[in-house]
Amino acid sequence: MPSKEDAEFVACMEDVLDVYELPYDPMRPVVCMDEKPYQLLGDARKPLPMRPGDDQKIDSEYTRNGTCSIFAFVEPLGGTHHVSVHEHRTALDWALEIKYLSDEMFPEAEKIILVMDNLNTHKAASLYKAFPPAEARRIIKRLEIHYTPKHGSWLDMAE
């Protein structure tokens, strides 16, 4: 955790904490977004089957079957959540998820208050890479983005 003298950290932290104090408003949902890489693992040896009163026996050795990226949206006060899996973590993947958030999860919302970390793909420019300018702008205008501070992504409830 950065020192108390890190003004940028404190400013972002207080901004996010202020967002979390907002009262529930379904027309302005507060949504936390996170993504993380995940290893896809397989069994190196076939597990022994379960028996009544006994757990399945799984060997600690595994095979690595690649990776994927898990995207999660959590609306803490409304109870809504969404998880999806993509092969990669690219600007296009993020843009597709944000469009889903806007158009499928909260199509009636006036504004979606979005809390997320400041990853290089979590930018308005990613929407312009994925969609025509008018569509990218339409989606951006539906969002109010609040970034967690660097080294403070633990402030994101989706994490």
Side-chain angles (χ1 to χ4, degrees), residues 15-135:
D15 177 58
V16 169
L17 293 175
D18 285 346
V19 167
Y20 290 158
E21 289 183 342
L22 294 172
Y24 177 65
D25 181 352
M27 296 308 289
R28 295 180 57 80
V30 173
V31 179
C32 302
M33 180 255 156
D34 192 35
E35 66 179 279
K36 69 183 223 170
Y38 192 79
Q39 283 193 86
L40 302 172
L41 305 177
D43 297 316
R45 292 178 181 80
K46 187 175 178 180
L48 298 176
M50 290 190 326
R51 296 182 298 186
D54 202 7
D55 294 336
Q56 182 181 37
K57 305 292 190 247
I58 301 171
D59 189 44
S60 61
E61 186 177 345
Y62 60 86
T63 59
R64 191 164 186 263
N65 295 330
T67 61
C68 65
S69 190
I70 299 173
F71 288 79
F73 292 110
V74 176
E75 182 196 14
L77 296 179
T80 302
H81 68 278
H82 168 76
V83 176
S84 64
V85 178
H86 290 257
E87 190 172 342
H88 305 287
R89 180 193 59 84
T90 66
L92 178 60
D93 296 316
W94 180 83
L96 291 171
E97 287 299 316
I98 294 299
K99 182 175 172 52
Y100 182 86
L101 171 72
S102 170
D103 297 353
E104 303 296 326
M105 291 183 70
F106 299 100
E108 304 300 321
E110 295 168 2
K111 188 72 83 170
I112 300 164
I113 302 170
L114 182 59
V115 175
M116 63 184 167
D117 60 15
N118 204 352
L119 198 61
N120 64 328
T121 56
H122 298 175
K123 307 289 181 204
S126 295
L127 292 165
Y128 284 91
K129 290 178 183 177
F131 306 114
E135 177 68 352

